[in-house]
Amino acid sequence: GCAGGIDVTARLSYTPEALEGDFQSLSLTVNGLHGGHSGMEIHKGLGNANKLMNRLLYVAQEHGARVQQIQGGGLRNAIPRESVAFIYVPTAAYADFKTAFDSLATAIKSEFQRVEEGLNIVLESATADTEPAVLPVAIQEKLISSIYAAHNGVFKMSPELEDLVETSNNIARVEVAQGEIAIKCLTRSSVESSKLDLAQSLKSAFSLMG
């Protein structure tokens, strides 16, 4: 399904917010994935570092985490192999968060053990900024929800040719830093109307979140 493609990019500007209170500064890292070509290897069920990181951030958010920065993926035509996020978790909630994080990390590794044997998911302490600035809560919630809602991987198989992926999407790049958010996708299809259908689905998911 590589014959036709369209770039779908979601952008949003925000004003960083000063962080107050007692927080733990942490880095989350997802790496060791195979990656690969987003057209030729999208059918293999490989891990997408941006989607996996988003699952971790969703749990972190449930424990009061505030996101400072995310850098995940690279080229649009490459399935992302790694993502790094810097977050702040309330000190009082850290123990519960660590338990939930470890549980989810174990579950994700189990899900992908047959196709992503090198997958690493790491939580580490990070050096805190003197005056940390993070995403406003409402923007953070919209960001995490929109990435969760956005389709990634095979969208439709060809009804005419056996084992041919007709339509797919790769959430290739997620950039969050210094007041700017960019989510970059490459949507592919050998059928023009199906390509536009998926692109509009992605547009709708991001538009609903602002």
Side-chain angles (χ1 to χ4, degrees):
C2 296
I6 184 170
D7 292 343
V8 178
T9 303
R11 296 185 184 277
L12 184 65
S13 297
Y14 65 93
T15 301
E17 187 173 276
L19 185 66
E20 298 180 356
D22 188 11
F23 286 82
Q24 298 287 322
S25 178
L26 303 167
S27 68
L28 308 183
T29 302
V30 174
N31 61 20
L33 295 164
H34 284 298
H37 191 273
S38 69
M40 299 300 291
E41 297 174 281
I42 200 71
H43 65 291
K44 293 182 177 180
L46 299 171
N48 179 304
N50 291 325
K51 290 290 275 189
L52 296 183
M53 176 59 77
N54 201 66
R55 288 174 68 176
L56 299 169
L57 292 175
Y58 187 92
V59 168
Q61 182 173 260
E62 290 183 326
H63 291 82
R66 303 293 298 276
V67 173
Q68 181 182 43
Q69 183 176 343
I70 306 171
Q71 293 294 331
L75 299 175
R76 285 187 193 263
N77 64 353
I79 300 170
R81 295 180 294 181
E82 59 186 20
S83 176
V84 178
F86 292 93
I87 66 172
Y88 288 86
V89 174
T91 300
Y94 176 76
D96 287 343
F97 162 66
K98 180 66 164 56
T99 297
F101 177 91
D102 289 345
S103 178
L104 179 56
T106 298
I108 291 173
K109 289 179 181 179
S110 178
E111 290 175 22
F112 287 91
Q113 61 183 336
R114 293 188 180 276
V115 292
E116 295 288 6
E117 63 280 356
L119 171 59
N120 293 311
I121 300 174
V122 181
L123 172 67
E124 296 179 306
S125 295
T127 302
D129 291 343
T130 304
E131 297 180 358
V134 296
L135 272 73
V137 172
I139 298 296
Q140 177 179 305
E141 291 175 348
K142 290 178 180 181
L143 170 67
I144 293 173
S145 293
S146 65
I147 295 175
Y148 232 131
H151 182 84
N152 180 79
V154 176
F155 183 71
K156 185 179 180 183
M157 300 296 291
S158 172
E160 298 174 348
L161 298 176
E162 186 176 359
D163 295 329
L164 175 69
V165 177
E166 180 184 283
T167 309
S168 67
N169 183 62
N170 180 43
I171 300 179
R173 181 83 176 144
V174 174
E175 304 167 339
V176 180
Q178 299 179 337
E180 298 293 335
I181 294 171
I183 305 168
K184 301 177 181 180
C185 304
L186 177 53
T187 303
R188 298 177 180 271
S189 184
S190 55
V191 176
E192 181 73 6
S193 59
S194 186
K195 179 186 73 176
L196 293 175
D197 179 37
L198 179 50
Q200 287 166 182
S201 172
L202 294 165
K203 180 181 177 181
S204 297
F206 293 127
S207 295
L208 286 170
M209 299 302 166

